[in-house]
Amino acid sequence: GNSVTQMEGPVTLSEEAFLTINCTYTATGYPSLFWYVQYPGEGLQLLLKATKADDKGSNKGFEATYRKETTSFHLEKGSVQVSDSAVYFCALSVGGGSQGNLIFGKGTKLSVKP
Amino acid sequence: NAGVTQTPKFRVLKTGQSMTLLCAQDMNHEYMYWYRQDPGMGLRLIHYSVGEGTTAKGEVPDGYNVSRLKKQNFLLGLESAAPSQTSVYFCASRTGTGTYEQYFGPGTRLTVT
C-alpha cells in the first residue's frame, strides 16, 4: 500500500541553523509529493510540492527534491527563523479520483529558539 | 475569496449528544474531505466526497456521517458523541484535476466529556 514515514520530532534548533526533516514513502505508481506546514492553532498550508522524479519544490527558503531512487522527499532550509516553528507534514497522492486522496506522515514538530 | 471555512471553531459536547460541523468552500472544488487530527497520529481521513451528492468512507468513518447536498458545503455529523471523538477536525477541498493539492480550513476543536 501507500504510506509516508517522516522523522519523529520534536526537533529543536537555534535560529539560523540548518534544517533537515526526512521523509520517505512507499507508493504504487508515480506519486505527487507534498510538504504541508501547520502553525500553532491553524490549519494546514501547502508549503511546496513536486510532481515527478528529480523535481525540486521550493517556497519561503524551504526546498525538497523528489528522489525516486531513494523514495525520499526530504525538507531542507539553510537558515531557520523563530517564525518557522510549526508542525511539518509530508504527504503523497497517487493518481486521480479517490486515488488522489492525500496520505500523510505523522508530522514533525519544529521549535526554533532565538 | 474566503477559501475553506469551518463552523464552529470550538465545541464542547456531553457523551451521547449530537452535532453537525459545517465546511464551506468558495473555490468551486469538486472534492471535499473531513480529517481528524490527534496527537502523534497525524491526520486521518474520516469521509470524503468526489462531487455533489456523493460521499465515501475514509480510514476512520465509524461514528460519523456526512452529507454533500450542495457542491460548496460538506457536513460532518456525530449522532451520539463519545469521548474518543475528542479531536481537532479539519475540512479540505481540491479540484478534480491538476496535482491534487488540498486546501484546508482552520479546524474545529471538539471536546466530548
Side-chain angles (χ1 to χ4, degrees):
Chain A
N2 302 320
S3 66
V4 174
T5 302
Q6 60 182 105
M7 64 186 286
E8 293 188 15
V11 174
T12 302
L13 295 173
S14 298
E15 206 165 22
E16 300 184 359
F18 185 86
L19 168 71
T20 300
I21 300 178
N22 290 338
C23 171
T24 57
Y25 67 89
T26 302
T28 55
Y30 301 96
S32 294
L33 300 173
F34 307 86
W35 277 101
Y36 280 82
V37 60
Q38 183 180 30
Y39 298 104
E42 299 184 8
L44 278 71
Q45 303 173 23
L46 180 66
L47 180 60
L48 53 83
K49 65 182 180 184
T51 59
K52 61 184 186 295
D54 300 324
D55 269 2
K56 177 185 284 188
S58 61
N59 186 25
K60 299 181 180 180
F62 291 89
E63 294 183 339
T65 300
Y66 188 144
R67 302 285 187 200
K68 185 180 177 183
E69 63 276 12
T70 55
T71 62
S72 65
F73 192 54
H74 304 323
L75 182 68
E76 297 182 336
K77 186 174 185 182
S79 176
V80 293
Q81 305 300 312
V82 173
S83 57
D84 294 325
S85 297
V87 181
Y88 294 82
F89 292 93
C90 185
L92 69 81
S93 173
V94 182
S98 63
Q99 295 301 310
N101 293 348
L102 286 174
I103 296 171
F104 288 91
K106 293 187 176 180
T108 302
K109 183 175 182 179
L110 170 66
S111 295
V112 180
K113 306 299 184 186
Chain B
N1 288 349
V4 180
T5 57
Q6 293 184 231
T7 308
K9 287 184 168 48
F10 302 94
R11 185 72 185 267
V12 178
L13 289 179
K14 295 187 188 305
T15 298
Q17 288 184 321
S18 64
M19 77 164 294
T20 300
L21 282 66
L22 171 64
C23 175
Q25 52 94 5
D26 61 2
M27 297 175 282
N28 201 34
H29 284 170
E30 292 294 329
Y31 290 72
M32 296 187 75
Y33 303 83
W34 276 108
Y35 295 91
R36 60 178 289 173
Q37 184 180 30
D38 303 291
M41 301 293 291
L43 276 82
R44 293 183 290 170
L45 182 63
I46 304 171
H47 287 280
Y48 64 99
S49 168
V50 303
E52 182 178 318
T54 73
T55 63
K57 294 180 180 180
E59 180 185 355
V60 288
D62 293 343
Y64 305 95
N65 56 76
V66 288
S67 65
R68 183 109 181 261
L69 299 180
K70 294 183 178 181
K71 186 177 184 179
Q72 63 268 33
N73 295 337
F74 194 29
L75 279 62
L76 178 71
L78 286 74
E79 290 186 348
S80 179
S84 60
Q85 294 177 305
T86 294
S87 188
V88 181
Y89 292 86
F90 289 100
C91 177
S93 70
R94 70 168 175 90
T95 66
T97 58
T99 54
Y100 314 122
E101 62 208 61
Q102 295 182 15
Y103 297 82
F104 283 78
T108 294
R109 183 173 294 276
L110 174 66
T111 302
V112 183
T113 61

